[in-house]
Amino acid sequence: MTPTKKTGTAGAGEAAACPVDVAAAGAVRDLVHVDHGEPLTTSRRVALRFGKRHRDVLRSIQRLIAEAGPAFTERSFALSEYADPTGRTLPEYHLTQAGFMLLAMGFTGPDATALKVQFINAFDTMARELQRLKAQRLAPEWQAARAAVARQHSSVNAVLFEVRKAAGKDTHAHHLANEARLIGHALTGVHAGIDRDTLDADQLRLLHKVEARAVILIARGADYETRKAELRALVLKELRDLRDCAPTPAPEPAALLPDTRTDPAR
């Protein structure tokens, strides 16, 4: 198991389906994330979901490491760090599915079995998604759409930089991150960045349209809230025309894009 570096204060994520199903992917990513192409969970997530103190979960993992031996535990548990709300750096572990199952084996209580099933299902779902993405990225159509989006993303940043410069303003990383979140809101209804590598070719083409429109709006001097509203309206209009997104009568756009998640991507 690849050692994991500092992870920040929260484990959140973005996702994609048809067109961008934030709720379903968010439920998985609340339990499992991907690091170096491997589905993992964290000791903090386990503690939170099972209603345990994190320090007690850490002790349990350390006991398992001592008892199970390095051949298993080095593949299953990786010591990491996170920053708490006060800025302190504290330890946590990242766990593979095997590590989680060994740890959770001893958990009991009225909801323990259901929670174990939720985690195992999340691991399985993430593993299938990784296989899908691996196959998807080999398709020339996807590669062309992804390259076009990368170029368009660079255009958004360049125009934003020039417009702010003309107004006598500096552009910093948080300005670019805010614009990425605005683009994410347009696609998902949630003010969060999008992991573009999880989008399929059709979704990437929709993202390209959104960012092309964003370039025009930024160049015209439209303020943030105006851009946010117009780009979201553009996506909803596009979705109304995508009747082939569902095999049976297409859901309304609000059903496809529930406003449920939080957190920029190129």
Side-chain angles (χ1 to χ4, degrees):
M1 179 176 175
T2 305
T4 308
K5 299 181 181 179
K6 182 183 289 189
T7 58
T9 57
E14 311 87 11
C18 182
V20 182
D21 188 348
V22 180
V28 171
R29 285 173 171 80
D30 279 345
L31 302 179
V32 177
H33 67 280
V34 175
D35 191 350
H36 294 82
E38 184 175 21
L40 303 173
T41 192
T42 71
S43 53
R44 284 190 296 150
R45 286 192 187 118
V46 171
L48 177 64
R49 292 290 174 150
F50 284 88
K52 298 181 178 295
R53 294 188 301 177
H54 188 223
R55 70 180 68 176
D56 292 337
V57 173
L58 291 178
R59 289 195 192 99
S60 295
I61 293 173
Q62 289 158 0
R63 184 173 62 253
L64 291 172
I65 290 173
E67 294 174 354
F72 176 83
T73 58
E74 287 181 2
R75 298 194 308 270
S76 304
F77 302 101
L79 184 61
S80 185
E81 298 175 339
Y82 72 99
D84 74 2
T86 69
R88 295 181 303 167
T89 299
L90 300 173
E92 70 173 352
Y93 281 92
H94 287 220
L95 292 68
T96 64
Q97 182 169 0
F100 165 78
M101 292 176 70
L102 181 63
L103 173 65
M105 196 180 298
F107 292 171
T108 59
D111 299 323
T113 298
L115 288 168
K116 293 174 191 178
V117 170
Q118 287 178 20
F119 271 93
I120 292 169
N121 285 342
F123 271 108
D124 290 343
T125 298
M126 188 66 79
R128 289 193 300 271
E129 177 68 2
L130 288 172
Q131 289 298 316
R132 183 189 71 81
L133 293 174
K134 183 178 179 181
Q136 170 179 278
R137 291 168 190 170
L138 297 176
E141 178 189 22
W142 185 89
Q143 293 173 0
R146 185 65 180 87
V149 161
R151 291 191 296 270
Q152 192 65 65
H153 179 78
S154 296
S155 297
V156 171
N157 289 345
V159 171
L160 182 64
F161 179 85
E162 292 300 329
V163 168
R164 291 181 60 84
K165 181 179 179 181
K169 300 177 181 178
D170 292 332
T171 301
H172 301 289
H174 69 271
H175 296 117
L176 304 181
N178 283 340
E179 202 65 30
R181 294 186 184 102
L182 182 151
I183 298 296
H185 175 270
L187 264 72
T188 68
V190 178
H191 195 66
I194 291 289
D195 183 351
R196 293 153 190 246
D197 286 337
T198 67
L199 304 181
D200 64 27
D202 287 335
Q203 293 161 355
L204 287 170
R205 283 189 281 269
L206 177 58
L207 175 59
H208 189 277
K209 287 184 180 180
V210 171
E211 292 196 316
R213 181 62 178 168
V215 167
I216 294 172
L217 293 172
I218 294 169
R220 289 180 178 174
D223 62 30
Y224 190 87
E225 291 302 322
T226 298
R227 300 199 304 276
K228 184 177 178 180
E230 289 202 21
L231 294 177
R232 179 62 174 160
L234 170 64
V235 170
L236 293 177
K237 181 181 181 301
E238 291 287 333
L239 296 184
R240 292 187 190 101
D241 297 332
L242 291 178
R243 297 305 177 188
D244 58 347
C245 263
T248 52
E252 290 301 313
L256 287 169
L257 301 173
D259 298 347
T260 55
R261 288 287 317 159
T262 55
D263 238 308
R266 178 169 178 169

